[in-house]
Amino acid sequence: MATKREQAKAAREAKLDELHERLTGAVEQLISGEDWARALTFAARFRTRSFSNTLLIAEQHQAAFEAGLVPDPFPSYVAGYKQWQGLGRQVQKGQPGYQILAPVTGRFATATPADAESWRRLGKGEKPRAGEVVRTRMVGVRPAYVWDASQTAGDPIPEPPAPKLLEGEAPAGLWEGLAAQIEDRGFQVVRVPHEGMIHGANGMTDYTANTVAVRENIDPAAQVKTLAHELGHVLLHGPDAEEARQHRGIGEVEAESVALMVGAAHGMDTSGYTIPYVSTWAARVDGKEPVEVVRATGERVRKTALAILGQLDTAQVADGNPPGLDREEPQHSKPQRSEPAHERTTSRRPVASVPEPAARPATVSMAPVELGL
């Protein structure tokens, strides 16, 4: 007869299997470039969550909307049960949580950090030996639950001001902030009068001359979008990267996707972003399934966009966390009586991605000169 611990483990593994099936289904629905753009626009508004978790939240919220459980098809803020309670709000009776993947971490110690083989995992309550260094590492994932604000009731949620842009207008300070990050990487940003000077493109990154050029004869919003695209190339791609020619198409998808997420986080219109059919570029990585490539590419894009946004002093749309939520606050593992039996989210701010099993970044490389879309 199985023990309670074995039963709990089996139930947890069954939930994880269900989550991975749900996630695979959500990824497989990303067929066209428009599907991919919509997924990234959603991810930009929940950018502190992993790309996989944003897909899971979007799919489950849509199902809740179709079932009449929530009033809007797009969620506003999501948080764990105890996190909502900490903000003076309570999950309403009958509202199902959205299952996501949360990290399981362990503490490891060693006296010789440079020796990868020397790290040992500490047991519960075990203290390190004298002179040892202790680090926390992710050792797995577990199912966790979050709820949208519309599924809760209680204290009002303060709404931070959202950026509002006129058509063709660039967000204040965004060009300067992006240019500074490019220059920090050793590149010079130059404006050229027309596309004929950069082979008909909107922008061009030259790894030999260490320049990023953007044409001036487009509106300010298009210029700043192009600059974000080229920054994506600067951060992700270079002449020293491997397999440059084989995965060139994914490199362009990544750069344009980074630009889309940066733009969406500033309230910019993303309808003009050009991304090819997912099935075209996702099948170009030898030895990897397209679903795996899509998940890895989405997470790589999200991490890069999050890093860019974190260095900008600009007005940005909310990131999906309720105002006032401190995601550094530890979530107790033992549920209170008033709380449904479930797992809670634990993470840090700024929130690193939760690596999902079998979601490794695709190798992407570029030729020495990159043209913006």
Side-chain angles (χ1 to χ4, degrees):
M1 183 175 178
T3 65
K4 287 185 177 181
R5 176 174 293 183
E6 290 171 338
Q7 291 174 345
K9 181 180 178 181
R12 184 169 60 250
E13 290 178 350
K15 284 185 178 181
L16 284 175
D17 289 341
E18 178 187 345
L19 265 175
H20 282 292
E21 288 181 12
R22 185 189 292 268
L23 178 57
T24 298
V27 173
E28 289 175 341
Q29 291 179 27
L30 300 178
I31 299 171
S32 71
E34 289 79 10
D35 296 329
W36 178 253
R38 280 193 295 270
L40 287 179
T41 300
F42 184 96
R45 294 180 179 270
F46 293 86
R47 54 190 176 275
T48 60
R49 307 261 174 199
S50 73
F51 181 68
S52 291
N53 278 340
T54 64
L55 292 179
L56 289 169
I57 291 169
E59 190 264 346
Q60 291 172 89
H61 186 85
Q62 181 64 34
F65 173 72
E66 292 173 356
L69 295 173
V70 293
D72 299 306
F74 199 97
S76 56
Y77 302 107
V78 296
Y81 193 94
K82 299 292 286 185
Q83 291 170 332
W84 279 124
Q85 287 185 327
L87 295 172
R89 297 184 67 84
Q90 183 68 40
V91 173
Q92 295 176 329
K93 187 176 181 180
Q95 285 289 355
Y98 305 154
Q99 277 195 336
I100 60 172
L101 294 164
V104 175
T105 60
R107 294 187 310 135
F108 293 79
T110 182
T112 54
D115 182 4
E117 300 297 324
S118 67
W119 291 90
R120 61 186 180 86
R121 186 171 181 178
L122 298 175
K124 186 176 180 180
E126 182 182 357
K127 295 182 178 180
R129 300 164 188 156
E132 284 190 326
V133 175
V134 177
R135 292 178 185 169
T136 300
R137 295 179 180 174
M138 178 175 160
V139 295
V141 292
R142 60 180 174 82
Y145 288 81
V146 292
W147 284 261
D148 180 56
S150 64
Q151 298 173 291
T152 68
D155 294 346
I157 301 173
E159 287 292 338
K164 295 181 179 179
L165 301 172
L166 299 175
E167 185 177 355
E169 182 183 13
L174 184 53
W175 174 278
E176 292 79 7
L178 295 173
Q181 293 187 42
I182 291 172
E183 290 165 356
D184 285 346
R185 291 293 182 126
F187 287 76
Q188 180 185 4
V189 177
V190 296
R191 281 185 164 109
V192 297
H194 57 83
E195 63 274 25
M197 300 181 67
I198 48 176
H199 307 285
N202 288 336
M204 184 180 78
T205 296
D206 189 328
Y207 293 101
T208 302
N210 278 6
T211 59
V212 169
V214 176
R215 67 184 178 107
E216 291 182 304
N217 60 339
I218 50 178
D219 63 43
Q223 289 185 42
V224 81
K225 174 254 189 182
T226 300
L227 191 64
H229 178 109
E230 300 307 326
L231 176 56
H233 280 314
V234 168
L235 295 176
L236 290 171
H237 317 124
D240 296 331
E242 298 177 0
E243 302 175 9
R245 299 186 183 280
Q246 182 179 359
H247 304 315
R248 182 183 181 89
I250 296 183
E252 283 300 320
V253 167
E254 286 190 332
E256 186 75 345
S257 298
V258 167
L260 189 154
M261 286 196 70
V262 170
H266 288 86
M268 296 179 67
D269 178 14
T270 59
S271 61
Y273 289 73
T274 307
I275 299 174
Y277 266 67
V278 174
S279 57
T280 301
W281 54 263
R284 291 182 175 176
V285 181
D286 294 337
K288 292 184 182 293
E289 292 296 322
V291 167
E292 180 184 351
V293 174
V294 169
R295 288 173 58 186
T297 301
E299 183 60 15
R300 183 171 162 89
V301 165
R302 186 199 69 88
K303 280 185 176 180
T304 304
L306 189 64
I308 292 171
L309 293 166
Q311 297 181 58
L312 294 172
D313 186 19
T314 53
Q316 300 174 16
V317 302
D319 61 5
N321 292 319
L325 175 65
D326 181 6
R327 290 184 67 186
E328 291 183 349
E329 185 71 22
Q331 300 295 297
H332 301 291
S333 58
K334 189 174 182 179
Q336 311 251 334
R337 289 191 180 182
S338 61
E339 182 177 356
H342 66 272
E343 305 276 357
R344 280 155 299 282
T345 57
T346 55
S347 47
R348 298 183 295 263
R349 177 180 279 176
V351 179
S353 67
V354 179
E356 280 82 13
R360 294 177 293 277
T363 304
V364 178
S365 314
M366 306 303 299
V369 174
E370 279 309 329
L371 303 180
L373 293 174

